[in-house]
Amino acid sequence: MASSIQLSHITSTPTTLPDYQMLKNAHFNFPPKTSKLETNSINSSSLKQICKQGNLKEAIQSLTNYLSHQNEAHLSSDEAYSSVLELCAEKKAVREGQQIHTHVIKSNGHGNSVFLKTKLVFLYGKCEAVFDAQKVFDEMPQRSIFSWNAMLGAYVSNGKPWEALELYRAMRVFGVNVDAFTFPCVLKACGLIKDIRLGTEIHGYAVKSGCDSNGFVVNALVSMYAKCEDTVGARQLFDRIQVKYDVVLWNSIISAYSASGKPMEALMLFREMEKAGVSMNSYTYVCALQACEEPFKRLGVEIHAAILKSNDRMHLYVANALLVMYARCGRMREAAQIFHKMTEKDSVSWNSLLSGFVQNGLYSEALNFFHETLAAGQRADQVSLISILGTSGRLKNLLNGMEAHAYAVKNGLDADIQVVNSLIDMYSKCCHIKFMECVFRSMVSRDVISWTTVIAGYAQNNYHAKALDVFREVQAKGVEIDAMMIGSVLLACTSLRWLNHVKETHGYILRKGLSDLVLNNTLVDAYGECNNIELASRMFNLIENKDVVSWTSMISAYVDNGLGDEALSLFCMMKEDGIEPDSVTLISMLSAAASLSALKKGKEVHGFLIKRGFLLEGSVVSSLVDMYARCGTLENSFKVFNLVKDKDKVLWTCMIHASGMHGRGKEATELFSRMEMENILPDHVTFLALLYACSHSGMIDEGKKYLDIMKDNYNLEPWPEHYACVVDLLGRANRLKEAYQFVKSMPMEPGAVVWCALLGACHVHSNKELGDIAAGKLLESEPGNPGNYVLVSNVFAATGRWDDVELVRERMKERGLKKNPACSWIEMRDKVHSFMARDKTHPQSDQIYEKLAEIIETVKREGNYTAQTKYVLHNVDEEEKTKMLYGHSEKLAIAYALLESPKGTPIRVTKNLRVCGDCHVFIKLVSDFFDREIIVRDTSRFHHFRHGSCSCGGFW
């Protein structure tokens, strides 16, 4: 059926009806008149019956024949038009409806029919042509209550609740007697705008009008209270009803609880409905399935079985609800099976499965499915684009992200603000900041999510100053600032270690009333990262309802600031408080145990991980390998490492570093070869661990070779730390001239880390000339590091240059720098015991010194031990130097261990500075004459002393 005038389907812009006078004069191509035989044939079945059968084409043919033989028909003209208009509304056939509308206007006597115009309002409302409905309604000279209700319904069903409420006010002003069909529309409008006050007022008017007992009104009231997040009010209404056999009523209350995030209550009502014997429909199942989250997935499977058992045709929206339920519960295999069995699919079906893959971290599957979607001819909309952009970002797949961007531009979706925000996030996660900036700056309008996303993008990609600049721009423009944006600002301040900026941001949070648990936890992190443990602790104590993140943030702050004991104590308090630690907490605890070399504590955490069913993968297993290595038990590190089937790059790197730390350079290189065979690509950190291992095992040729492999085979530009490893490697082998030439040949300006490595080697091998050069360069490149001044002072002191030593110490005082005092600690009987040089604060101090005197006497007598006073870098006499050596913290720790630990057990000592040459000789002799394995971890590496020898082989 064609018309010489066609109307556009209403989408986002209003479409007005053509001029009515022009419509009257227009020519329409209705089908030609049929023969008498055809007319009799058609008249033999009523037009109403044809419309009920749902065949629109046949219905229009019948209407045409009716209009051609009106005197022989049994229906009035209004009834004939009405039947076909209702079918057009049902089929959402707006074009056919417009043509019939035109014919109504042209025909005499029908153009102003209230009945037909009401049907037209209803038709246009159903077909989403709300502005056309409004035009018809406005031009009605008379209106019935049905006309008003039809227009109300058109507004509400097309997402225009404010217009619906204005129309309702007009009805009241004009004295229109509202009925039981008016209230559901108006109450739905209140629910859409969440206006509980107006909803309650209309509820009162419904009571006054005597409509509050009508089933439709009651259902609408329940739904309105639920959408206004007043489930208590909704439930009170529901409970007042004595006889509850209306399925719509049950659906309304179950849906109310589901939508309000109360799945338990929704499913309990579903069970009550079953027991009450109320016949369920498809919408009941959809409401119940919406409540079936992870804890209730078993009930979701039962509902699925009930749907299959009912033998009814599964409606599209039910199949979609099942698909979403399985995806939400992480059962993507079942979700995919539902999808592939669906005979009919809409955009919701495709998008639900795609979103399910993304939400369950199956990003590769999501990409493959997206390509399958396009291949099936399904047009991607904004929902699917947002999903695929999120997937591309998480996979850091820039190419796929750019393809999605191109698709958005080609199909006009790049104007959608949600799509553009997703593009910003995708480019940020792919570390392509220039593209992120380009998309952001090209936006015509931005919302708070746009600003928040771009600030987070800068902060997460180490453009911290830019993140703060954009935040200032936000403030200048008066954009509403939310807690998430402040979180990114704190990340930027923290990464820059700008304590004052963190304090300012904290003040801003308090002034604007933005404080919440997430931000308070972030502040604990920020103060801890900025090395202000006092403020971090104060912030932590101010948090009233601490969650696992609060405790973990404070534990991490202690660990990061070298306060392992405090971290362990806080972990005990956390468990006493009934807070269950998560994997992040346990990783922090493993770091605390590792920092203290507290093997027993580390094993307890390992046991806790196994007992609570944590998967040994990712960061957890890498932390375990590191903990055992730093606690001196490399064998346990290898055991954990070998248990993992799918080893990632981080785990391989961690194991290579652990081997190097213990002087097992050969094992480190073998691990690297195995890693290459597994096609795991090494990165900068992997090569740093490998070069470190070569350095601490005297593997000069191998170290130089790996530096070349890094550059030539993997196209990785070395960092200063890589060059420093090679300098250290050459320096330990006393190839100082070669090391200096290597420094001068570097393609970049040597930094402090390189000069520090060269100076350390000069100190060990007493090379004054190169030592002076390296010392000057070191202090020039990093004047604020107290460790550098100490090293330079030690170099000068070793050659008796006491005046120069004094000058260096004066410079330290001027800059307010202090040397960290030497400290050693040992774990004994579930407690960590610390010792300072010449310390007498330990409760068993007298016994310790007696035992130490006994040990010294033994190694002097049996091993010809003589104190090597050249390692005392103070301008005092020889006797005093000897006393100072005897009081070194590691000697005190070993004496305590020999005093308290059972014979034959290993002794594990950790020191915060490098072990001196005299202690190294002393410990070798003790391991021999007292038949103990002594494992010492200093700032450089591990030393395994056995039977008078050390695993370092002199490379320390």
Side-chain angles (χ1 to χ4, degrees):
M1 179 172 172
S3 168
S4 59
I5 297 175
Q6 295 182 355
L7 296 180
S8 300
H9 188 279
I10 297 298
T11 53
S12 59
T13 57
T15 301
T16 57
L17 289 167
D19 181 78
Y20 282 14
Q21 188 61 41
M22 183 173 69
L23 284 171
K24 288 180 181 179
N25 299 327
H27 172 68
F28 293 88
N29 297 320
F30 271 82
K33 292 182 179 181
T34 58
S35 67
K36 183 75 174 175
L37 180 63
E38 289 173 317
T39 304
N40 289 335
S41 174
I42 291 168
N43 283 338
S44 64
S45 84
S46 72
L47 180 58
K48 281 187 176 181
Q49 188 60 37
I50 293 171
C51 290
K52 282 181 181 179
Q53 290 170 359
N55 190 323
L56 182 60
K57 187 175 179 181
E58 187 180 344
I60 291 173
Q61 180 72 36
S62 298
L63 176 64
T64 304
N65 291 332
Y66 162 78
L67 296 172
S68 301
H69 305 84
Q70 194 168 348
N71 58 326
E72 299 173 23
H74 301 290
L75 291 173
S76 70
S77 297
D78 279 8
E79 285 181 294
Y81 282 125
S82 171
S83 297
V84 182
L85 285 172
E86 284 178 5
L87 182 57
C88 289
E90 182 186 334
K91 299 289 185 181
K92 295 194 175 182
V94 69
R95 182 174 296 178
E96 289 80 354
Q98 287 167 342
Q99 290 175 335
I100 295 167
H101 183 185
T102 304
H103 203 273
V104 168
I105 292 169
K106 286 181 67 178
S107 63
N108 292 327
H110 297 291
N112 291 319
S113 166
V114 174
F115 175 69
L116 282 184
K117 285 208 166 186
T118 300
K119 289 292 181 181
L120 285 166
V121 172
F122 177 78
L123 160 75
Y124 286 127
K126 280 285 187 180
C127 293
E128 301 175 16
V130 66
F131 294 103
D132 288 349
Q134 184 178 318
K135 176 111 182 178
V136 174
F137 181 80
D138 289 344
E139 293 183 353
M140 291 176 71
Q142 292 180 320
R143 300 175 187 132
S144 67
I145 184 59
F146 304 108
S147 313
W148 290 94
N149 288 343
M151 194 64 234
L152 278 173
Y155 278 136
V156 173
S157 62
N158 286 279
K160 293 184 176 295
W162 295 106
E163 288 84 346
L165 292 171
E166 283 298 320
L167 190 67
Y168 169 71
R169 291 188 184 97
M171 291 175 73
R172 298 288 299 277
V173 169
F174 292 136
V176 178
N177 289 322
V178 298
D179 62 10
F181 295 98
T182 309
F183 288 111
C185 291
V186 185
L187 289 167
K188 186 175 181 180
C190 293
L192 288 172
I193 63 172
K194 298 186 184 300
D195 191 337
I196 187 72
R197 185 193 60 78
L198 183 58
T200 306
E201 183 183 310
I202 293 167
H203 184 183
Y205 188 64
V207 172
K208 188 178 178 182
S209 303
C211 295
D212 60 314
S213 58
N214 181 279
F216 293 111
V217 177
V218 173
N219 293 339
L221 280 166
V222 170
S223 179
M224 181 275 295
Y225 281 114
K227 285 177 180 172
C228 291
E229 299 175 3
D230 183 6
T231 49
V232 174
R235 186 60 184 265
Q236 285 175 344
L237 267 175
F238 178 80
D239 290 340
R240 282 178 196 162
I241 300 169
Q242 297 298 318
V243 181
K244 303 185 185 80
Y245 288 110
D246 185 355
V247 65
V248 178
L249 176 66
W250 284 94
N251 291 349
S252 297
I253 191 66
I254 293 170
S255 177
Y257 279 115
S258 291
S260 301
K262 297 178 178 178
M264 176 83 74
E265 292 84 345
L267 293 171
M268 285 174 69
L269 279 164
F270 178 74
R271 287 296 196 203
E272 282 183 37
M273 184 180 180
E274 277 186 311
K275 290 176 184 176
V278 180
S279 180
M280 299 180 182
N281 60 18
S282 297
Y283 190 66
T284 314
Y285 293 126
V286 171
C287 295
L289 287 168
Q290 287 170 347
C292 293
E293 298 175 351
E294 177 60 34
F296 312 111
K297 61 184 179 184
R298 184 175 176 182
L299 184 55
V301 176
E302 290 178 12
I303 293 171
H304 186 185
I307 293 167
L308 295 175
K309 192 176 178 181
S310 67
N311 291 323
D312 292 333
R313 184 181 69 85
M314 191 184 292
H315 292 283
L316 175 61
Y317 53 87
V318 176
N320 285 340
L322 276 169
L323 196 161
V324 171
M325 183 274 293
Y326 279 120
R328 192 168 53 236
C329 294
R331 299 178 66 166
M332 287 308 299
R333 185 186 298 276
E334 288 86 345
Q337 286 173 349
I338 294 285
F339 177 83
H340 290 301
K341 287 178 181 178
M342 291 170 69
T343 54
E344 180 188 359
K345 301 180 181 78
D346 62 3
S347 61
V348 175
S349 317
W350 292 90
N351 286 335
S352 296
L353 190 59
L354 178 61
S355 299
F357 283 128
V358 176
Q359 290 160 10
N360 287 281
L362 301 171
Y363 304 124
S364 297
E365 290 83 350
L367 276 178
N368 293 335
F369 181 71
F370 181 68
H371 292 135
E372 183 184 328
T373 302
L374 298 180
Q378 182 72 20
R379 184 177 178 274
D381 58 14
Q382 68 177 57
V383 177
S384 45
L385 267 179
I386 289 167
S387 291
I388 211 63
L389 286 169
T391 297
S392 302
R394 287 174 176 85
L395 288 174
K396 299 190 183 299
N397 192 326
L398 180 63
L399 182 60
N400 272 299
M402 293 177 76
E403 286 176 355
H405 189 178
Y407 184 93
V409 172
K410 185 178 178 181
N411 290 276
L413 294 169
D414 58 324
D416 184 275
I417 196 166
Q418 289 179 296
V419 172
V420 181
N421 289 341
S422 299
L423 280 167
I424 294 169
D425 183 61
M426 180 273 293
Y427 283 124
S428 161
K429 285 185 168 62
C430 290
C431 308
H432 214 301
I433 296 303
K434 286 186 179 179
F435 284 2
M436 182 192 82
E437 285 178 327
C438 184
V439 172
F440 177 73
R441 294 300 172 190
S442 65
M443 292 178 78
V444 177
S445 62
R446 306 180 182 103
D447 60 8
V448 67
I449 296 172
S450 315
W451 291 98
T452 301
T453 307
V454 82
I455 290 171
Y458 281 129
Q460 290 163 9
N461 284 279
N462 299 319
Y463 288 81
H464 308 301
K466 278 197 171 185
L468 297 177
D469 288 342
V470 175
F471 179 63
R472 293 186 191 98
E473 194 178 339
V474 168
Q475 290 176 299
K477 289 181 180 292
V479 177
E480 183 182 354
I481 295 168
D482 61 8
M484 192 173 290
M485 188 186 295
I486 292 293
S488 294
V489 171
L490 281 172
L491 173 63
C493 296
T494 302
S495 301
L496 291 167
R497 300 293 190 271
W498 287 358
L499 179 61
N500 287 337
H501 280 67
V502 174
K503 289 179 178 178
E504 287 174 14
T505 308
H506 190 178
Y508 182 90
I509 291 167
L510 296 175
R511 285 196 308 276
K512 297 293 183 179
L514 295 172
S515 284
D516 61 14
L517 184 58
V518 174
L519 275 184
N520 289 338
N521 292 341
T522 307
L523 281 166
V524 174
D525 268 330
Y527 284 128
E529 289 280 341
C530 291
N531 302 320
N532 194 316
I533 202 70
E534 183 182 345
L535 285 176
S537 181
R538 194 182 301 172
M539 187 68 239
F540 174 75
N541 291 328
L542 285 172
I543 300 172
E544 291 184 7
N545 299 310
K546 300 176 180 68
D547 63 1
V548 65
V549 180
S550 314
W551 290 92
T552 302
S553 298
M554 194 64 231
I555 288 169
S556 298
Y558 279 135
V559 173
D560 294 342
N561 285 274
L563 301 169
D565 279 328
E566 288 81 352
L568 292 171
S569 298
L570 192 64
F571 181 65
C572 293
M573 290 171 61
M574 175 184 174
K575 289 195 291 184
E576 288 171 6
D577 211 41
I579 303 296
E580 187 73 13
D582 60 13
S583 60
V584 180
T585 316
L586 296 170
I587 287 169
S588 294
M589 290 312 303
L590 289 170
S591 295
S595 68
L596 294 169
S597 289
L599 180 61
K600 189 173 180 180
K601 290 290 183 186
K603 284 183 174 180
E604 286 176 8
V605 176
H606 189 177
F608 189 91
L609 282 163
I610 294 169
K611 187 178 178 182
R612 297 302 166 93
F614 285 94
L615 293 175
L616 297 185
E617 60 183 16
S619 300
V620 172
V621 75
S622 299
S623 298
L624 273 172
V625 167
D626 181 64
M627 181 276 293
Y628 280 121
R630 290 169 68 190
C631 288
T633 59
L634 188 63
E635 293 74 17
N636 284 351
S637 291
F638 269 110
K639 284 178 183 177
V640 173
F641 176 80
N642 291 328
L643 283 172
V644 181
K645 291 182 179 179
D646 298 320
K647 302 174 179 69
D648 61 12
K649 183 191 304 180
V650 176
L651 183 57
W652 283 101
T653 300
C654 191
M655 198 65 243
I656 290 169
H657 177 66
S659 300
M661 197 191 305
H662 287 266
R664 308 266 280 270
K666 186 177 179 183
E667 283 92 331
T669 57
E670 287 173 355
L671 283 164
F672 181 74
S673 297
R674 285 171 57 193
M675 180 181 176
E676 286 187 308
M677 289 172 65
E678 294 285 340
N679 294 318
I680 305 293
L681 285 177
D683 59 10
H684 285 86
V685 182
T686 310
F687 278 105
L688 195 59
L690 193 58
L691 289 169
Y692 173 91
C694 292
S695 174
H696 285 269
S697 300
M699 300 165 67
I700 299 169
D701 294 336
E702 290 87 345
K704 292 164 75 174
K705 178 187 77 173
Y706 285 122
L707 186 69
D708 291 336
I709 288 172
M710 175 184 180
K711 293 186 288 187
D712 301 336
N713 294 14
Y714 292 99
N715 296 316
L716 296 171
E717 191 62 36
W719 295 342
E721 289 81 1
H722 295 100
Y723 290 116
C725 276
V726 176
V727 171
D728 186 62
L729 178 64
L730 295 169
R732 288 175 189 276
N734 200 15
R735 291 162 63 167
L736 292 172
K737 286 184 180 179
E738 186 181 345
Y740 185 50
Q741 289 301 318
F742 179 81
V743 171
K744 292 197 292 184
S745 68
M746 282 172 56
M748 63 180 73
E749 185 67 28
V753 66
V754 174
W755 292 117
C756 188
L758 184 60
L759 181 59
C762 292
H763 175 42
V764 171
H765 299 290
S766 303
N767 189 315
K768 179 180 179 300
E769 182 182 350
L770 278 180
D772 284 349
I773 295 171
K777 293 286 187 181
L778 178 60
L779 296 181
E780 182 184 313
S781 61
E782 200 176 56
N785 188 338
N788 295 339
Y789 288 91
V790 172
L791 179 57
V792 171
S793 173
N794 289 347
V795 170
F796 290 158
T799 54
R801 297 162 61 182
W802 301 111
D803 291 341
D804 291 333
V805 169
E806 195 58 36
L807 283 171
V808 172
R809 288 175 180 170
E810 284 298 323
R811 286 178 66 180
M812 283 184 72
K813 287 180 184 178
E814 288 170 9
R815 292 180 176 274
L817 304 175
K818 293 183 179 180
K819 174 189 174 183
N820 289 328
C823 178
S824 296
W825 56 93
I826 188 167
E827 185 184 23
M828 193 74 64
R829 296 192 185 91
D830 205 24
K831 185 179 177 183
V832 177
H833 299 262
S834 301
F835 298 91
M836 308 287 280
R838 305 174 81 174
D839 188 6
K840 293 193 176 180
T841 59
H842 195 278
Q844 293 174 264
S845 183
D846 291 341
Q847 295 169 276
I848 291 168
Y849 275 96
E850 284 178 19
K851 185 65 177 179
L852 180 58
E854 177 192 324
I855 295 166
I856 292 170
E857 184 61 34
T858 300
V859 296
K860 275 183 176 181
R861 183 178 65 250
E862 303 292 339
N864 297 318
Y865 166 70
T866 304
Q868 299 183 51
T869 55
K870 67 178 181 178
Y871 292 109
V872 178
L873 305 174
H874 294 274
N875 191 14
V876 293
D877 59 37
E878 288 297 307
E879 185 179 349
E880 185 61 26
K881 286 182 179 180
T882 300
K883 287 181 180 178
M884 291 174 76
L885 284 174
Y886 287 170
H888 274 194
S889 61
E890 56 265 57
K891 289 187 175 80
L892 294 172
I894 289 168
Y896 178 69
L898 289 171
L899 185 69
E900 292 293 326
S901 64
K903 289 184 178 181
T905 57
I907 296 171
R908 304 176 193 279
V909 178
T910 305
K911 186 174 182 181
N912 66 334
L913 301 176
R914 196 174 179 186
V915 173
C916 78
D918 176 74
C919 286
H920 197 266
V921 172
F922 175 82
I923 299 169
K924 281 200 287 187
L925 293 170
V926 171
S927 72
D928 190 19
F929 294 109
F930 288 84
D931 195 22
R932 289 291 189 100
E933 178 186 1
I934 303 175
I935 302 156
V936 178
R937 170 184 150 197
D938 66 9
T939 53
S940 179
R941 57 166 297 149
F942 271 89
H943 300 262
H944 293 258
F945 297 92
R946 291 188 186 92
H947 309 301
S949 63
C950 180
S951 61
C952 72
F955 292 98
W956 57 283

